[in-house]
Amino acid sequence: MTSHIKQLTSLSQYKVQLTDLLFLCIKSGASLGFKTDVDKPQLATYWEEINTQLKSRIFFGYFIHNTLVGCVHYTRCQKQNGSHRAEIEKLLVHPQYQRQGIASLLMQSIEREATKQGIELLVLDTQTGDKSEYFYQKIHYTKSGEIPHFVSDNNGVFFGTSYYFKILLPTSQINKTASDEASLIT
């Protein structure tokens, strides 16, 4: 199985694959900002909007052969006093490929790129009680709190949202840590 992660600077050629991926993830129960009765044209419109905003986003896709089976992106804070932080959005893995380490690889890629871009804080939210909470804790994100009654499903049932963060080492600190580790080895 040939796989690779690629940073995407345009989503145009992947819109159908992204739409299908998001649709499948929603239908499998993931809380991704849409209710389960969403249709594919609505999701295609979402990706068209994201595509117009890629100048302020970093977007990675995970491909097996030439098929996009996972993605994640972040949006850098546009406030002057928040330029050191970004929000992770839409970590998606095709249901058929979940629990194979793809989400972890995507998050490692986005964290490395964030560090290169001078971002030192990543934040995200997920539905309280969702399996994704365990995943984010496993990759060292810290839960900072939750808001009850935050989202609702097709039946009007409300769910809470949990907020997570991760402080990244600045590039200068990573370089210092690497050089300190190297001096211990010699």
Side-chain angles (χ1 to χ4, degrees), residues 91-109:
L91 174 60
L92 307 173
V93 177
H94 189 291
Q96 180 181 339
Y97 295 98
Q98 291 178 3
R99 306 193 65 77
Q100 296 179 25
I102 294 170
S104 293
L105 292 171
L106 283 164
M107 290 299 287
Q108 289 168 12
S109 294

Side-chain angles (χ1 to χ4, degrees), residues 30-47:
S31 177
L32 295 162
F34 298 94
K35 293 183 178 181
T36 57
D37 62 356
V38 69
D39 61 27
K40 286 188 179 182
Q42 290 172 296
L43 299 178
T45 299
Y46 168 77
W47 290 120

